[in-house]
Amino acid sequence: MAHFNAAPVIAAHARNKGSRKHLTSIYYDTPERLLRRNGLSLRVRRSGTRFVQTVKTDATDDPLRRDEWEASVPSLAPDLALAMPFIPEKLRGRLEEQPLEPVFTADIHRHARMIDLPSGTVEIAFDQGELTAGDRSLPVSEIELELKNGSASTIYEIALRLAEHGAVKPSIRTKSARGFDLAANQPPSARRPRKLRLDASVTLDEAFATILRSCFLHLLQSLPAAEDGRNPEGVHQLRVSLRRLRSALDLMASVGALDNLDALRSEAKWLAQDLSAARDWDVFQLETLPTIARACPSVAGFDALGKAAAECQSDAYRKAHRALADRRCAVFLIDLGGWIEARGWRNDVAAEDLGQLAEPAVNFAQRILSEQYAKVLKRGRHFKSLSTDQLHRVRLATKRLRYLGEFLLPLFADRKSARKFSHRLAGLQEELGAFNDMAVTASLLDGLAAEPDSAIAAAAIAGWQARASIGVQPALHSTWRDFTAARVPWSRPTSQG
């Protein structure tokens, strides 16, 4: 920590040597964790002789912004009456019926300094200490950046300079989230992305900013579980977030040549590739192998096959963790966040294309969705007679249409039609994905050592999936018919409010 405190960006721009505090905080919730389940936290912090109660919300659509409300209290005991104005009305009655209890304690030594840059002022806090819940504890070693005034891009500017100075990784995971997971003795959760909300009247520039912030938030929220490794959903959601990000960057390329897009897409692809094997082995170990082993109890060798697969799975996770710990990953995330916050695409787009950013996003959405929908239909022509490779190409086009739909369908007023179309599109992608999973399984089995003890089980899996591929054909054809029969939500003009 002292090494980072002496970083050039701090030495050159800090107002003074700053202040040092010993902070003791107790986090409270009901026995059923009512506050946490509703995206809230309540703590009381002691600093010297002062006690401050704080209510905070989880990040919503912007990874850098959280609402918080403070009030002075006489001790480390919470005062629920002071917190009530900031609690959603639907929860107030339930909170009055359920007593608050201490969940965990944060004991932190903080060195805070103010950093003044031309773009803004940031308070930088060096926090060291530990979180304690019962007999479990977790060390804290973090540098917290809080914007006091100016542009939020200042946060990323300082973070990038720190990442260049030494080994750090960006995180939006709060002490509250870590403490509650510690108390429950559970790994970090991995959330699916939030549904986008876009008004039909927004400009393309504003739509891009909202879409990219959503992708970036999902990426940052998925990182802790992927780094922890105990929850397989972590790597899965991180891969999904990277695919969504790459789809969003590809979408922006439709406006014109953007200088930074290729670099950002390249880094996202690098990170995704280093995660792919871990996810493939997770699916094999948690879904494919146990399902077929249960169905074929008389076949020998599943235990030996599982042991060999576990070694490959461990190797794949080591590769994934090396990539996540690499400074290249940290710099990529900080660069991406800074580019989104500063809306860097405005500087990159050619002058003749700049006017598109000020136009209604819905016009752009109609064109892009129509083009991708037509591509899916073209690749799916004569669907019943398509080869495995051709079905794979349909799957890729379908996946891209699904991501574009997640980004752009909120712009259209016909919500019922959009939900129906999205549901059928998701069903088609899931059916096509089953074929891809079989191909992945075949490649994984090829990579396993062909030990006699596991060869029979491997052959059983291959045979099972070959038979299954024939059995799912009717359902796949039916799903394709349902998808092509659905009315597209962008077929009618959307009124501009």
Side-chain angles (χ1 to χ4, degrees):
M1 201 65 90
H3 172 69
F4 283 103
N5 206 341
V9 66
I10 297 173
H13 300 284
R15 291 182 185 175
N16 48 45
K17 293 184 178 181
S19 62
R20 298 180 184 271
K21 297 178 180 179
H22 181 201
L23 307 174
T24 302
S25 304
I26 300 178
Y27 288 73
Y28 294 88
D29 207 337
T30 68
E32 297 178 359
R33 304 298 183 254
L34 184 63
L35 293 174
R36 176 158 170 76
R37 286 190 286 108
N38 285 275
L40 297 165
S41 68
L42 187 153
R43 75 167 186 232
V44 180
R45 170 177 287 172
R46 178 177 64 196
S47 177
T49 59
R50 187 174 177 231
F51 299 88
V52 176
Q53 176 175 281
T54 304
V55 176
K56 288 189 178 186
T57 64
D58 285 345
T60 51
D61 298 322
D62 189 327
L64 290 191
R65 292 169 176 82
R66 300 177 69 209
D67 291 328
E68 66 175 78
W69 302 272
E70 294 184 344
S72 294
V73 289
S75 69
L76 279 171
D79 187 333
L80 191 55
L82 291 176
M84 279 300 187
F86 314 112
I87 304 291
E89 191 171 347
K90 65 180 181 178
L91 299 181
R92 293 175 188 173
R94 296 169 66 187
L95 274 176
E96 289 173 346
E97 296 169 359
Q98 301 182 35
L100 293 175
E101 63 179 21
V103 180
F104 69 95
T105 299
D107 188 48
I108 305 296
H109 291 272
R110 169 171 290 181
H111 181 194
R113 305 179 73 175
M114 299 298 288
I115 309 297
D116 294 305
L117 292 177
S119 54
T121 298
V122 169
E123 181 183 63
I124 183 166
F126 299 87
D127 286 355
Q128 287 186 287
E130 69 176 359
L131 309 178
T132 305
D135 59 355
R136 288 187 290 273
S137 63
L138 187 70
V140 173
S141 180
E142 65 184 23
I143 304 171
E144 187 176 285
L145 303 175
E146 182 176 344
L147 185 71
K148 292 302 183 181
N149 61 64
S151 169
S153 60
T154 313
I155 292 276
Y156 293 103
E157 183 180 351
I158 294 175
L160 185 60
R161 304 273 284 276
L162 292 174
E164 291 168 347
H165 186 70
V168 293
K169 57 186 178 185
S171 174
I172 58 169
R173 191 164 184 246
T174 61
K175 295 182 182 71
S176 172
R178 281 173 280 166
F180 276 101
D181 285 342
L182 177 69
N185 195 25
Q186 65 184 19
S189 61
R191 304 175 184 175
R192 294 184 176 184
R194 295 175 181 268
K195 290 185 178 180
L196 280 178
R197 295 181 180 178
L198 288 171
D199 189 88
S201 63
V202 299
T203 65
L204 184 57
D205 182 63
E206 187 58 41
F208 280 161
T210 302
I211 291 167
L212 286 168
R213 278 199 300 267
S214 169
C215 294
F216 189 46
L217 177 61
H218 185 210
L219 202 168
L220 292 176
Q221 288 176 331
S222 304
L223 273 171
E227 291 169 336
D228 178 88
R230 288 177 289 168
N231 181 358
E233 192 68 9
V235 165
H236 176 50
Q237 287 302 322
L238 185 55
R239 287 184 70 210
V240 171
S241 73
L242 290 165
R243 285 200 299 262
R244 293 178 77 241
L245 172 64
R246 290 166 66 187
S247 293
L249 295 174
D250 288 342
L251 176 65
M252 299 181 74
S254 303
V255 173
L258 299 177
D259 292 341
N260 283 318
L261 277 188
D262 286 343
L264 292 171
R265 282 189 294 189
S266 175
E267 292 302 274
K269 183 177 181 180
W270 158 74
L271 187 55
Q273 286 175 335
D274 278 9
L275 299 172
S276 61
R279 175 57 184 170
D280 291 342
W281 284 112
D282 279 344
V283 173
F284 182 82
Q285 285 284 71
L286 298 173
E287 298 175 19
T288 305
L289 189 147
T291 299
I292 299 174
R294 284 194 299 268
C296 305
S298 62
V299 175
F302 282 111
D303 289 343
L305 186 64
K307 184 177 180 180
E311 293 178 5
C312 295
Q313 184 183 29
S314 295
D315 288 343
Y317 261 89
R318 279 191 286 271
K319 180 180 180 181
H321 289 149
R322 281 196 300 270
L324 295 175
D326 196 312
R327 185 177 298 180
R328 180 178 176 183
C329 176
V331 170
F332 160 59
L333 293 172
I334 296 168
D335 278 341
L336 174 64
W339 186 73
I340 295 171
E341 191 64 44
R343 301 200 183 188
W345 55 90
R346 292 176 177 174
N347 300 325
D348 292 344
V349 71
E352 59 269 22
D353 297 321
L354 198 56
Q356 288 189 65
L357 296 177
E359 295 179 359
V362 70
N363 298 338
F364 175 83
Q366 285 174 325
R367 175 173 65 85
I368 294 296
L369 288 170
S370 295
E371 290 175 357
Q372 187 61 28
Y373 180 65
K375 185 176 292 186
V376 173
L377 295 182
K378 182 179 179 180
R379 290 188 178 181
R381 193 175 298 156
H382 309 302
F383 192 80
K384 288 186 177 182
S385 60
L386 294 182
S387 67
T388 301
D389 287 343
Q390 289 170 324
L391 285 173
H392 178 63
R393 294 181 71 237
V394 176
R395 184 184 70 87
L396 294 178
T398 301
K399 181 189 291 187
R400 174 165 166 75
L401 179 60
R402 186 177 181 185
Y403 287 138
L404 292 178
E406 289 179 5
F407 297 151
L408 301 176
L409 286 181
L411 290 165
F412 297 92
D414 191 350
R415 304 294 184 196
K416 183 177 180 181
S417 175
R419 283 196 300 270
K420 186 174 182 179
F421 180 82
S422 297
H423 178 73
R424 293 190 180 184
L425 177 60
L428 176 61
Q429 184 187 342
E430 185 174 337
E431 293 283 353
L432 290 166
F435 270 88
N436 185 65
D437 289 343
M438 294 175 193
V440 170
T441 299
S443 68
L444 295 180
L445 290 174
D446 287 342
L448 290 174
E451 296 291 336
D453 290 345
S454 61
I456 296 175
I461 291 176
W464 179 281
Q465 293 203 325
R467 183 177 180 276
S469 68
I470 299 172
V472 300
Q473 290 279 1
L476 178 58
H477 297 159
S478 175
T479 303
W480 174 258
R481 286 195 302 271
D482 288 345
F483 167 70
T484 56
R487 188 180 71 79
V488 295
W490 60 89
S491 59
R492 292 184 299 187
T494 300
S495 59
Q496 302 298 304

